[in-house]
Amino acid sequence: MTTATPIPAPPDPLGGERYRLTLPNTASTARIARDFVALLLEREQRGGLVDDARLCVTELVTNAYQHTSSSLVRVHVAVNRKRVTVSVADHDPGAVQALAAQRPGAEQRGGRGLLIVKNLALAWGTTSLDSRLPGHKAVWFTLART
């Protein structure tokens, strides 16, 4: 029997639907998470948010893959009429602070993922999950229809 893992609902949309997906932290996880979020948004008739959501979730899941030793990545999606909030949780509480502190130079190939999320999202942030999952953290973003 599988138990649901609690993931924070940062600025939680009022009402709406909630979905969860737990994946092994592998190179293909970002693609699976991206397709999962896109399918949900299309099903909920939020097609205008799909492209930004796909890009943002890809960045967060890729960061978990590249910069943590977490064996699992948990994706939580909350959708209502106007907003979608996506949270990506992993087992490495310090990694996001280090990533957020980076200021990539013009010559660097990577390191811009959180800047992309920041520029596309209505809001974004990090949440410690220590009270429920010691050593875990989540990075989340909220997108809204304009």
Side-chain angles (χ1 to χ4, degrees), residues 5-8 23 64 70 72-76 87-92 127 129 133 136-139:
T5 304
I7 294 186
L23 300 163
S70 184
L72 295 174
V73 173
R74 294 170 176 88
V75 179
H76 175 262
S87 175
V88 176
D90 61 61
H91 185 264
D92 196 345
T127 303
L129 303 178
L133 294 168
H136 286 72
K137 62 107 171 48
V139 183

Side-chain angles (χ1 to χ4, degrees), residues 15-66:
E17 301 291 327
R18 295 174 172 272
Y19 304 89
R20 289 189 169 106
L21 179 66
T22 301
L23 300 163
N25 193 6
T26 67
S28 62
T29 299
R31 178 185 48 80
I32 295 167
R34 173 176 61 237
D35 292 346
F36 172 69
V37 171
L39 180 67
L40 292 176
L41 291 176
E42 289 166 1
R43 180 189 165 276
E44 295 290 329
Q45 299 178 348
R46 305 297 172 266
L49 299 175
V50 169
D51 290 339
D52 289 350
R54 287 174 61 92
L55 182 55
C56 289
V57 77
T58 298
E59 293 298 339
L60 299 188
V61 173
T62 298
N63 279 348
Y65 175 68
Q66 291 180 340

